[in-house]
């Protein structure tokens, strides 16, 4: 179904209360983790840095149709994450805590808005996670975590590139890794995030709950290099309360990842690329970006 330009401008008007294009309708960025991400690390203090570059090829409506004209953009993110696995146990699991501080730079060029350019950069909303629980077996690992994204960043309802969301998000995490052989060379992993949002004060809209799954199939070579197939699937489960429409966002992608661990240096480096092959917009955003993601992930055991 094709929409006239006036309908697209109306959709854009709804999207001016949008969040940065990296997320679906919440805070968590799909594709930021990859192979074996559902396994909590051993006791110790860890720094993990994420470099993300997201190229936007087009914007889609609730039916998956592309907005007319050339509508592009990019998001660059550098997120700092600290993980402390305390050495204590709870419910038979290793217990830890974490915090994430993201930095964002967003640029959007939208023909559908009369050739307007939107941009913003700065510190994003901060995440504090007081609960990480990690269970470990001979050929499996499982993780549960809980935390909250706080509404700490600047938000402008008239700027779709705004680095802040204008609302908070409670995020629950559950995932697991199954190692297919005793040597742990082959593995299948899935890491899910469930997000519950608060009301966006400037608009009076409460984004609906969303669920995201990052998955991977990996193989570690004799050299220690790990290669694999990765992807993510994200769904908005509830319509946004107070939004002009009842549409619900979703996004799907597939990609490849490579990673290497230097045990003596306590350093791990991973790189991945994802291609989004389907995206649909929800009520709060009006339009949903579709594009390609490039990620570098650096972990240092402190």
């Amino acid at each position: 179904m094709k929409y006239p330009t006036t309908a697209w401008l109306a959709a854009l008007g709804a999207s001016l209360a949008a969040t940065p294009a990296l997320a679906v309708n919440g805070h968590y960025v799909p594709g930021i983790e990859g192979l074996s991400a559902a396994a909590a690390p051993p006791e110790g203090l860890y720094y993990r840095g994420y470099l993300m570059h997201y190229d936007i090829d087009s914007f889609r409506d609730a039916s998956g149709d592309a907005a007319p004209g050339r509508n592009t953009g990019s998001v660059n993110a550098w997120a700092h994450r600290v993980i402390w696995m305390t050495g204590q146990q709870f419910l038979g699991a290793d217990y830890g805590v974490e915090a994430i501080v993201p930095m964002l730079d967003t640029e959007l060029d939208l023909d559908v808005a009369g050739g307007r350019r939107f941009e913003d950069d700065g510190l994003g909303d901060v995440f504090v996670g007081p609960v990480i629980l990690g269970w470990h077996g001979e050929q499996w690992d499982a993780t549960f975590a809980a935390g909250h994204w706080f509404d700490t960043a600047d938000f402008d309802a008239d700027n779709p590139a705004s680095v802040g969301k204008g609302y908070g998000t409670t995020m629950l995490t559950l995932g697991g890794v199954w190692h297919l052989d005793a040597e742990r060379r082959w593995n299948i992993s899935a890491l899910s995030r469930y997000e519950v949002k608060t009301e966006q004060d400037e608009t009076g809209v409460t984004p609906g709950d969303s669920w995201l799954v990052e998955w991977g199939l990996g193989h570690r070579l004799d050299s220690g290099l790990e290669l694999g197939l990765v992807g993510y699937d994200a769904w908005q489960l509830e319509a946004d309360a107070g939004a002009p429409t009842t549409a619900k966002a979703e996004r799907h992608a597939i990609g490849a990842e490579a990673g290497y661990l230097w045990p003596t240096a306590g350093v791990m480096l991973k790189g991945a690329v994802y291609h989004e092959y389907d995206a649909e917009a929800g009520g709060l955003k009006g339009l949903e970006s579709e594009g390609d993601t490039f990620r570098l992930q650096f972990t240092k055991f402190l």
Side-chain angles (χ1 to χ4, degrees):
M1 179 178 179
K2 299 300 181 183
Y3 287 79
T5 300
T6 53
W8 281 110
L9 288 173
L12 179 66
S15 75
L16 288 180
T19 58
L22 274 170
V24 179
N25 79 319
H27 278 81
Y28 185 73
V29 176
I32 200 169
E33 298 290 359
L35 299 175
S36 303
E43 178 183 353
L45 184 65
Y46 303 83
Y47 166 78
R48 180 167 289 174
Y50 305 86
L51 281 174
M52 302 278 290
H53 175 75
Y54 180 51
D55 266 331
I56 301 170
D57 298 326
S58 63
F59 283 85
R60 305 279 168 165
D61 71 349
S63 300
D65 294 322
R70 179 174 172 78
N71 301 282
T72 62
S74 66
V75 183
N76 293 294
W78 184 15
H80 305 276
R81 181 183 183 190
V82 177
I83 306 168
W84 178 35
M85 299 304 295
T86 64
Q88 305 300 311
Q89 286 207 329
F90 179 71
L91 298 178
D94 297 333
Y95 172 73
V97 297
E98 62 179 327
I100 303 172
V101 179
M103 302 169 63
L104 296 164
D105 182 1
T106 304
E107 299 178 357
L108 305 175
D109 293 295
L110 303 177
D111 281 353
V112 75
R116 292 184 63 186
R117 181 180 181 84
F118 301 91
E119 56 187 355
D120 194 16
D121 62 81
L123 289 176
D125 294 332
V126 172
F127 177 80
V128 177
V131 177
I132 301 175
L133 298 177
W135 294 267
H136 307 283
E138 289 187 9
Q139 289 186 225
W140 60 270
D141 301 279
T143 298
F144 170 82
H148 189 79
W149 294 92
F150 289 89
D151 180 17
T152 56
D154 293 333
F155 172 71
D156 181 358
D158 294 324
N159 183 4
S162 179
V163 298
K165 310 287 188 178
Y167 57 85
T169 298
T170 296
M171 185 171 74
L172 304 176
T173 297
L174 182 65
V177 183
W178 176 255
H179 303 277
L180 303 180
D181 58 321
E183 292 77 22
R184 294 192 169 209
R185 291 186 178 273
W186 288 93
N187 67 79
I188 298 174
S189 62
L191 182 68
S192 65
R193 313 278 193 177
Y194 191 91
E195 293 183 295
V196 181
K197 296 91 177 180
T198 64
E199 181 179 296
Q200 194 173 55
D201 291 335
E202 283 199 37
T203 64
V205 173
T206 302
D209 293 0
S210 57
W211 182 52
L212 178 145
V213 178
E214 295 173 283
W215 54 266
L217 171 62
H219 177 58
R220 180 168 49 84
L221 306 177
D222 291 339
S223 63
L225 179 67
E226 186 174 27
L227 303 172
L229 187 69
V230 291
Y232 56 79
D233 300 276
W235 300 269
Q236 182 179 347
L237 302 180
E238 297 178 332
D240 299 335
T245 74
T246 59
K248 293 178 282 189
E250 64 178 85
R251 186 179 293 182
H252 307 275
I254 192 169
E257 179 177 304
Y260 192 81
L261 170 66
W262 289 268
T264 55
V267 169
M268 181 171 61
L269 184 64
K270 293 183 177 184
V273 57
Y274 295 82
H275 172 68
E276 290 180 339
Y277 57 86
D278 185 39
E280 297 177 9
L284 176 61
K285 298 185 73 171
L287 298 175
E288 182 75 36
S289 62
E290 184 175 280
D292 300 304
T293 299
F294 305 87
R295 167 183 40 91
L296 283 177
Q297 182 189 107
F298 170 84
T299 302
K300 172 62 178 175
F301 309 155
L302 303 176

